[in-house]
């Protein structure tokens, strides 16, 4: 695991978080970000990490909250200093460095070229990135350790591909950013009457050209692990947020798995292998809803979407569901607290999770009042897993 090299200062633990560490400086009692730890999946149905001697790799998924979406009016519960770019960027970097995982899948990643690419690559990573369509400033990125994995091939996913090709690009411009000053706390704002009353400003929401154009993206890549040689596909995505457009979210999930199945066939043929698959991201869907059920069922018949002959199912399992159970929340604000983020893996048996990244309980002091705060620089929490390759 990589150590925090930003501050060489004395540290001691608070009594509230049982496994995590909070840093304080000599001159200040302001706490720094928590560094979560990986917990062996000893109580799950899988083999305990302590009994495993196979090769392992680790992955974290984290919606870091794009700075473009940070407005004090939308996060009034957060301490002002926690929302400043200088403090937030360093806090996020501290968390990412402390994790030291082989792969980092980041959503709402902005300031990629100006900050994150350079600073994360300086500690031994390389990266790939896709920016959202239109005028959006954030996107999805995959960082991978150069001494652990080699990038073989990558593809980007633009969910605007779902929009009928006859669309007039200017007719259905998504104006949600003007409704939510640069995005903001989307879960809270989705309950705002003014937003609902303003939907007509974006055009006819029942027009597929308007309804499906959400500027959401994803990225996937095949990597060769270096010790031992094993191919894996890592996909990272951010599904659209609006709960009133559940059909759009479901269409995006379906497109994701369709593209993923095609990509897996491409990789299998090109490199004469059967790659493992890991899918991470912010799916803006709670456990048990249509998107969640579709992703883990491998079935194309979900909700009101008809079955398609183009569907190729990839059976997936959720890391947390298969180990400790889905967490109570991965996103925490006064307006919404629930689980939206997942790490899914192929159920073919070639990889299995042997540990997972710890998450706080609802009563933990470090999440009281909602996020972001001094302990957590985003409104989301990082989730993670360590996988063992089963030979």
């Amino acid at each position: 695991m990589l150590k925090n090299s930003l501050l060489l200062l004395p540290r001691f633990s608070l009594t509230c978080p049982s496994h995590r560490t909070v840093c304080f400086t000599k001159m200040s009692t302001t706490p720094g970000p928590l560094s979560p730890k990986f917990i062996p999946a000893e109580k799950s149905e899988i083999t305990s990490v302590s009994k495993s001697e196979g090769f392992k790799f680790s992955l974290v998924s984290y919606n870091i909250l794009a700075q473009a979406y940070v407005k004090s009016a939308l996060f009034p519960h957060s301490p002002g200093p926690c929302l400043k770019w200088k403090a937030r960027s360093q806090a996020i970097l501290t968390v990412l460095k402390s994790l030291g995982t082989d792969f980092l899948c980041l959503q709402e990643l902005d300031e990629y070229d100006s900050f994150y690419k350079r600073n994360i690559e300086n500690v031994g990573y390389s990266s790939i990135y896709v920016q959202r369509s239109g005028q959006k400033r954030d996107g999805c990125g995959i960082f991978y350790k150069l001494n652990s994995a080699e990038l073989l091939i990558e593809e980007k996913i633009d969910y605007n591909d779902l929009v009928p090709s006859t669309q007039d690009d200017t007719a259905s411009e998504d104006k949600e950013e003007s409704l939510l000053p640069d995005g903001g706390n989307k879960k809270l704002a989705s309950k705002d009457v003014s937003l609902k009353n303003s939907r007509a400003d974006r055009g006819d929401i029942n027009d597929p050209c308007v309804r499906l154009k959400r500027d959401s993206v994803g990225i996937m890549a095949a990597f060769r692990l270096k010790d031992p040689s094993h191919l894996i596909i890592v996909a990272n995505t951010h599904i659209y947020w609006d709960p009133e457009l559940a059909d759009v979210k479901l269409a995006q999930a379906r497109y994701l798995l369709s593209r993923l199945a095609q990509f897996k066939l491409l990789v299998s043929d090109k490199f004469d292998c059967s790659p493992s698959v890991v899918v991470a991201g912010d799916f803006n869907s709670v456990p048990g809803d249509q998107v969640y059920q579709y992703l883990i069922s491998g079935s194309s018949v979900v909700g009101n979407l008809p079955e398609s002959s183009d569907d190729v199912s990839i059976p997936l399992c959720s890391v947390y569901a298969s180990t400790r159970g889905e967490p109570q929340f991965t996103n925490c604000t006064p307006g919404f607290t629930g689980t939206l983020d997942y790490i899914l893996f192929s159920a073919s048996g070639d990889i299995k999770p042997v540990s997972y990244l710890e998450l706080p309980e609802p009563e933990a002091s470090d999440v009281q009042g909602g996020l972001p705060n001094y302990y957590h620089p985003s409104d989301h929490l990082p989730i993670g897993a360590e996988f063992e390759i089963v030979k």
Side-chain angles (χ1 to χ4, degrees), residues 27-246:
M27 302 301 293
S28 173
T29 58
T30 300
L34 293 173
S35 299
K37 308 300 180 185
F38 280 89
I39 305 298
E42 296 175 346
K43 297 181 180 180
S44 69
E45 296 179 357
I46 64 173
T47 304
S48 167
V49 65
S50 61
K51 299 178 182 178
S52 173
E53 297 180 355
F55 174 77
K56 304 180 187 69
F57 67 93
S58 54
L59 179 146
V60 157
S61 180
Y62 192 13
N63 180 327
I64 61 174
L65 179 58
Q67 190 64 25
Y69 301 157
V70 176
K71 305 292 181 182
S72 58
L74 292 162
F75 294 94
H77 58 279
S78 299
C82 298
L83 302 180
K84 302 296 185 182
W85 165 246
K86 184 176 182 180
R88 282 196 68 242
S89 60
Q90 291 302 319
I92 292 169
L93 194 61
T94 296
V95 173
L96 297 178
K97 284 184 173 184
S98 72
L99 293 168
T101 52
D102 297 305
F103 296 93
L104 294 167
C105 294
L106 306 183
Q107 305 89 42
E108 290 199 22
L109 175 60
D110 63 353
E111 306 297 340
Y112 171 73
D113 290 313
S114 63
F115 181 79
Y116 287 109
K117 185 177 189 293
R118 177 184 71 256
N119 282 286
I120 298 178
E121 291 186 355
N122 279 346
V123 292
Y125 291 84
S126 188
S127 61
I128 54 177
Y129 175 70
V130 58
Q131 186 170 329
R132 293 180 67 191
S133 310
Q135 301 300 312
K136 311 303 189 298
R137 288 179 278 175
D138 64 300
C140 295
I142 300 175
F143 292 81
Y144 58 97
K145 276 188 174 180
L146 287 170
N147 62 0
S148 299
E150 173 191 0
L151 175 64
L152 300 177
I153 185 173
E154 67 175 278
E155 284 190 8
K156 297 175 180 178
I157 301 171
D158 186 347
Y159 294 110
N160 282 354
D161 290 343
L162 293 166
V163 177
S165 59
T166 57
Q167 176 191 4
D168 178 356
D169 290 338
T170 62
S172 61
E173 181 180 359
D174 182 359
K175 299 180 181 178
E176 72 170 320
E177 304 294 18
S178 65
L179 301 175
L180 306 176
D182 283 338
N185 188 333
K186 299 173 286 297
K187 288 78 187 179
L188 178 59
S190 67
K191 302 176 181 178
D192 190 338
V193 175
S194 64
L195 171 61
K196 295 178 181 179
N197 292 339
S198 302
R199 291 183 187 279
D201 294 342
R202 297 186 300 216
D204 182 2
I205 197 65
N206 293 316
D207 179 353
C209 292
V210 175
R211 194 174 188 87
L212 292 170
K213 189 176 186 298
R214 301 292 110 184
D215 297 331
S216 304
V217 295
I219 190 168
M220 55 189 173
F223 298 91
R224 177 179 284 114
L225 300 178
K226 295 187 176 181
D227 184 23
S229 180
H230 181 83
L231 264 66
I232 63 169
I233 292 172
V234 176
N236 179 25
T237 193
H238 191 179
I239 298 297
Y240 191 62
W241 64 271
D242 194 339
E244 293 195 10
L245 296 180

Side-chain angles (χ1 to χ4, degrees), residues 308-361:
S308 169
S309 59
D310 294 332
D311 284 337
V312 181
S313 64
I314 298 182
L316 296 171
C317 297
S318 165
V319 164
Y320 283 83
S322 64
T323 54
R324 50 147 277 172
E326 296 293 6
Q328 295 188 50
F329 62 94
T330 61
N331 176 258
C332 182
T333 67
F336 176 88
T337 297
T339 296
L340 301 174
D341 308 271
Y342 305 95
I343 297 174
L344 310 169
F345 65 100
S346 51
S348 58
D350 50 359
I351 59 173
K352 63 181 181 181
V354 292
S355 67
Y356 56 83
L357 199 65
E358 65 176 338
L359 290 162
E361 297 298 327

